[in-house]
Amino acid sequence: MQHRQHLLIPLFLFWAAFAVAQSSTNVLVTDLTRIKQVGGIQAAPNGQQALYTLTTIEPQPDQPLEYEYRTHIYLLNRQSGEVKALTRGAESARQAVWSPDGKQIAFARTVKGKSQVFVMPLDGGEAYQLTTLAYGAGNPVFSPDGKRVLFSSSATFADLLADTLLNPGRKGPLWSVEKPGISAAEVLPKKDGPKPNPDGSLAEIRAYLAKDVDDKKAKVINRLNFQGESTTEPMMSFQHLYVIDVREGATPKPITRGFASYQAATWLPNGQSVLAVTDRDPAQHPDREVDNAIVAIPADATTPGTVTYLLSEAGKSFGAPTPSPNGLKLAYMAGNSRGVGFPGLALADLNGTIVSNAKTIDFDRAAGNLVWANVPAGAPVGSRASRSSKQTTSAEWVLYFTANADGGIPLYRLNTRTNTIDRLTTPESGVTNFDVNGSEIIFAKTEVADPSALYVASLDATAPKKLLAPNADWLAGKVLSYPKKGVYRNSAGQSVEYWIMKPARFVEGKTYPLVLNMHGGPTAMWGPGEQSMWHELQYLCAQGYGVVYANPRGSGGYGQAFQRANYRDWGTGPAEDVLAAATAAAREPWVDTSRQVITGGSYAGYLTAWIVGHDNRFKAAFAQRGVYDLTTFMGEGNAWALVPNYFGLPWEAGAKAILDANSPYSFVQNIKTPLLIKHGENDLRTGIIQSEMMYKSLKILGRPVEYVRMPGATHELSRSGNVRQRIDRLLRIYEFFERFVGNTNGQVK
């Protein structure tokens, strides 16, 4: 009898293991459509509630295989944990903000193709449309007394020429319209102008040509930055600011005027003025002015157009003005307008609209999402390691923010008394959105175990508690791959971080193919806390591939010196770093070194082509929406400023040789690796001719190459583009690699 019991134990363990195996599933390509993203977090003034948004991907019932993105606003009761949907339906809602008394919210949603501002009472009343502006309206912010809403609206150049509120007297801009042979006065509309006549006078011919432009039969381009993300933009747009009383039927009134744009607008705590970011020199053409200034604008709409410059300096750009709620401090970003690098976090004293004692904080990362919070007396505000000696004796204002760092997006806190910064969360996860109330932080986080969830934690981010896990249902039973971190010391003496992921259903004794997957930018950063690659990496591992990715020199998240380390060196140095990571991964006993493949998009499309033109270890490569000839890129992409910032302009002494030496196209004849090239047809960030030059040349050379054009797709295809095309892209990566490394869940070693 005892002997039989010994036999039952192994049998029980076998069947238990078998049941677990049967219930577990791989990450599927269509799981992309099931990921829900938490964002838009806004803590209520009373600290008992919070708003957040949830972005989902929904099938379109009338179009099989097609999907649409939807974002809706939810209300969380912190005491009961109850969640209530405030908006619903096919039309998304976004940019929700609280009124100061917490009794209503404002948000934006699209009506007849234009964004408009709505107000929703939270006592049971229906939301009503606050704005009906012809130009649209968005980015609402309640005034400190809750009686008005500040919002922004975008008007075209033609709109401004005819708008007597935004352009009194219907005057032209201070800067040249850069239309050769035509004065500024000649572009102004005339009440009784000539009628279009192709056989008439010169004035009538000009009217006829202008009508062709209006009827979209021609695009006349005179501006420098005429390329948008998906189409050319011959006509500039200008973002203006308005205030409106919070009541149905109220009339919005502009507080800015003219041919300038105003971004990142926020109220000063006194409610008398608004802070915003605009071009430093209003007489400079907006396409040529690269310096930004922080300005104060009176909120009294009876005197629109008055602007006071608070922070302005030649060669510098200032942004993200964030006044403390007590009106005594101003946090902002400041940095050089040109060149390689990122703006630094800065702090100044504030007295009304007077700024003094401005200083840059010692923090070698790119800060963002600045949020002030009042820390109660007795709360720790210093280093977590020594918090007992740094408790507040009275309430004080501290600044919370996030920054890309070391493969994640940690949350930080600045003590404004000492100007010291503490990192509150680790780089193994990413804080994608957050807000702070009187006693806690509410934040959205991404990590390997869950692409997006809502948490709450103490003011120093200890004892986090998960409040909402919108992906928990479909994640249940999924086999995930967890990355292992490594560090490589490159030839420049820099530490380069990389991560290796095993196949999801790894079996000891079998070998697997390896994908070197690279990030773009070149200033992007990947890691366990980076959200955009969560599904792609897990999908590749689920298909039986190992994955290695790295943050080579030039990546963000490691400081100014590291980010500038690829200056005039986009190829050789970064290639050394990512190939070192691939070499380290190939030493793993489960990697089949004869089955290595490589891929990347944007700058990493560039790097893919560069590497296969210099290294033959990879059996196949997939270059996505890349840049391959840097001189051509000057004219083809709206990101053309990367060329002068990193290499110089082609006609400058010595620059052309550097551009050619750094262009993968210069080495096209060396590419023998089977290559799949992909580009979106409407991608104007890098430009489709980049891919077509590379494809056509390889085809002429008789090399194994295939080219995929994605109709209607922009540069954002892999992140926020058409969902069906995003799925297509992932399947093409897998299918193309399978042609050359043919994986069937691993081969016996």
Side-chain angles (χ1 to χ4, degrees):
M1 186 71 177
Q2 189 172 357
H3 176 69
R4 184 181 177 187
Q5 287 178 332
H6 282 295
L7 288 174
L8 287 173
I9 293 173
L11 285 172
F12 172 79
L13 294 175
F14 169 80
W15 285 112
F18 179 77
V20 171
Q22 289 291 94
S23 64
S24 63
T25 57
N26 286 343
V27 170
L28 306 174
V29 71
T30 53
D31 284 336
L32 173 68
T33 68
R34 305 173 73 183
I35 296 175
K36 301 177 178 67
Q37 304 285 6
V38 180
I41 300 169
Q42 295 281 312
N46 63 12
Q48 303 303 310
Q49 296 170 302
L51 300 172
Y52 69 90
T53 60
L54 197 64
T55 299
T56 60
I57 297 175
E58 304 293 341
Q60 297 189 44
D62 56 340
Q63 298 183 59
L65 303 181
E66 294 290 350
Y67 298 83
E68 63 181 0
Y69 299 95
R70 288 186 193 168
T71 300
H72 283 294
I73 302 165
Y74 293 80
L75 177 66
L76 170 69
N77 186 309
R78 283 290 302 113
Q79 298 300 314
S80 66
E82 178 188 358
V83 171
K84 177 183 178 182
L86 296 181
T87 64
R88 54 180 58 83
E91 198 62 63
S92 291
R94 57 204 174 275
Q95 301 172 354
V97 291
W98 290 96
S99 63
D101 61 8
K103 294 182 179 180
Q104 53 190 342
I105 66 169
F107 62 93
R109 84 179 329 158
T110 301
V111 179
K112 297 180 181 178
K114 296 285 186 180
S115 175
Q116 300 291 351
V117 174
F118 286 72
V119 170
M120 177 185 289
L122 295 181
D123 59 2
E126 290 291 326
Y128 62 88
Q129 188 173 332
L130 184 65
T131 68
T132 56
L133 206 63
Y135 308 143
N139 304 304
V141 187
F142 277 97
S143 61
D145 62 7
K147 295 180 180 179
R148 295 173 292 172
V149 165
L150 166 73
F151 68 90
S152 63
S153 183
S154 186
T156 67
F157 186 88
D159 291 333
L160 284 180
L161 287 176
D163 193 310
T164 56
L165 289 177
L166 295 176
N167 182 22
R170 302 203 300 177
K171 301 175 182 177
L174 296 175
W175 36 267
S176 169
V177 294
E178 300 186 1
K179 191 174 178 68
I182 300 292
S183 68
E186 290 179 277
V187 304
L188 298 178
K190 297 175 176 61
K191 289 184 178 179
D192 299 313
K195 294 182 178 180
N197 183 356
D199 299 317
S201 66
L202 179 59
E204 290 172 327
I205 289 172
R206 284 176 174 166
Y208 182 87
L209 295 175
K211 182 166 176 53
D212 280 348
V213 172
D214 290 341
D215 293 342
K216 296 182 171 53
K217 297 300 181 183
K219 289 185 176 182
V220 180
I221 297 170
N222 287 292
R223 56 179 303 203
L224 175 62
N225 294 328
F226 64 92
Q227 291 152 321
E229 283 293 292
S230 61
T231 185
T232 52
E233 298 174 353
M235 189 178 294
M236 288 176 286
S237 292
F238 302 88
Q239 183 165 292
H240 280 281
L241 304 178
Y242 293 72
V243 293
I244 185 171
D245 292 339
V246 183
R247 57 179 173 80
E248 291 188 74
T251 301
K253 298 177 181 179
I255 61 172
T256 57
R257 284 178 172 175
F259 295 85
S261 285
Y262 298 87
Q263 316 285 341
T266 187
W267 291 90
L268 276 172
N270 60 18
Q272 298 174 8
S273 298
V274 167
L275 297 184
V277 176
T278 191
D279 288 346
R280 178 176 177 270
D281 184 357
Q284 180 78 275
H285 192 292
D287 283 356
R288 299 184 182 278
E289 174 61 283
V290 294
D291 298 347
N292 286 332
I294 293 176
V295 298
I297 303 157
D300 180 1
T302 60
T303 57
T306 304
V307 172
T308 301
Y309 285 75
L310 274 61
L311 290 163
S312 176
E313 183 180 344
K316 300 287 186 181
S317 282
F318 301 88
T322 311
S324 62
N326 62 4
L328 300 180
K329 293 284 184 181
L330 177 66
Y332 59 96
M333 305 302 298
N336 295 326
S337 302
R338 297 185 185 273
V340 180
F342 53 84
L345 177 63
L347 200 63
D349 292 334
L350 192 61
N351 182 7
T353 58
I354 299 174
V355 172
S356 61
N357 298 322
K359 63 182 69 176
T360 300
I361 304 300
D362 184 15
F363 181 69
D364 196 18
R365 297 290 187 271
N369 303 315
L370 311 183
V371 175
W372 287 98
N374 190 244
V375 176
V381 296
S383 167
R384 294 170 70 181
S386 57
R387 66 175 70 122
S388 60
S389 62
K390 294 187 177 182
Q391 291 183 334
T392 61
T393 56
S394 61
E396 63 179 276
W397 291 99
V398 297
L399 184 72
Y400 288 83
F401 60 93
T402 58
N404 282 8
D406 312 308
I409 311 173
L411 180 66
Y412 296 85
R413 184 172 60 190
L414 168 67
N415 182 334
T416 58
R417 279 190 295 110
T418 62
N419 286 341
T420 55
I421 292 175
D422 292 302
R423 193 185 74 191
L424 304 181
T425 61
T426 71
E428 283 69 46
S429 63
V431 176
T432 55
N433 196 258
F434 76 96
D435 200 6
V436 186
N437 62 27
S439 60
E440 60 190 14
I441 308 167
I442 303 173
F443 61 99
K445 184 174 75 170
T446 186
E447 57 185 336
V448 176
D450 192 332
S452 186
L454 185 66
Y455 288 80
V456 65
S458 62
L459 289 172
D460 60 352
T462 55
K465 177 185 176 183
K466 187 178 290 189
L467 297 176
L468 179 74
N471 297 294
D473 54 347
W474 70 266
L475 278 173
K478 292 291 183 181
V479 180
L480 302 179
S481 178
Y482 286 77
K484 179 181 72 172
K485 181 179 173 180
V487 180
Y488 159 72
R489 192 81 170 172
N490 67 18
S491 59
Q494 297 165 319
S495 295
V496 176
E497 294 184 335
Y498 63 90
W499 288 263
I500 301 171
M501 301 174 69
K502 289 182 178 180
R505 293 185 180 273
F506 173 77
V507 176
E508 199 73 47
K510 292 185 178 181
T511 60
Y512 301 83
L514 179 71
V515 181
L516 172 59
N517 205 338
M518 301 175 295
H519 73 63
T523 59
M525 176 209 72
W526 285 356
E530 202 279 325
Q531 189 177 69
S532 68
M533 289 299 292
W534 189 96
H535 178 258
E536 179 171 328
L537 297 179
Q538 292 297 337
Y539 173 70
L540 290 172
C541 290
Q543 295 304 105
Y545 285 76
V547 177
V548 57
Y549 60 89
N551 289 323
R553 68 193 77 177
S555 300
Y558 297 90
Q560 296 276 12
F562 193 87
Q563 189 163 312
R564 294 182 181 128
N566 63 343
Y567 178 73
R568 293 196 165 185
D569 177 20
W570 270 19
T572 304
E576 173 199 322
D577 296 347
V578 295
L579 290 176
T583 298
R587 296 192 189 104
E588 296 286 329
W590 50 268
V591 172
D592 184 343
T593 56
S594 69
R595 295 194 292 158
Q596 298 184 72
V597 291
I598 181 173
T599 188
S602 194
Y603 164 72
Y606 162 102
L607 199 53
T608 298
W610 176 275
I611 287 172
V612 297
H614 293 79
D615 190 291
N616 295 317
R617 77 180 71 180
F618 298 101
K619 295 300 180 183
F622 184 13
Q624 310 167 48
R625 64 195 191 285
V627 171
Y628 310 114
D629 181 79
L630 292 171
T631 301
T632 307
F633 179 46
M634 269 286 297
E636 236 220 320
N638 66 15
W640 65 270
L642 290 170
V643 174
N645 284 345
Y646 279 91
F647 303 102
L649 293 163
W651 53 86
E652 294 175 343
K656 185 62 167 67
I658 296 171
L659 288 167
D660 288 345
N662 277 272
S663 293
Y665 187 74
S666 298
F667 308 93
V668 64
Q669 71 278 7
N670 299 333
I671 297 176
K672 297 181 175 63
T673 303
L675 180 63
L676 176 62
I677 301 171
K678 180 201 72 68
H679 222 113
E681 288 188 346
N682 287 11
D683 184 346
L684 292 186
R685 194 180 306 179
T686 51
I688 199 165
I689 296 302
Q690 294 290 317
S691 288
E692 299 193 346
M693 283 177 62
M694 184 65 74
Y695 168 73
K696 191 174 293 183
S697 300
L698 288 170
K699 204 69 179 172
I700 292 169
L701 288 165
R703 303 295 159 74
V705 63
E706 186 168 300
Y707 176 41
V708 179
R709 287 174 61 122
M710 307 296 279
T714 70
H715 198 74
E716 288 299 299
L717 172 64
S718 66
R719 293 174 283 258
S720 59
N722 177 273
V723 176
R724 186 173 177 181
Q725 289 181 322
R726 290 177 66 188
I727 292 172
D728 180 286
R729 170 185 163 272
L730 285 172
L731 292 175
R732 288 189 190 280
I733 294 174
Y734 169 62
E735 187 276 333
F736 188 74
F737 288 164
E738 284 290 287
R739 300 182 200 178
F740 302 97
V741 297
N743 175 63
T744 53
N745 294 321
Q747 297 180 359
V748 177
K749 193 174 178 182

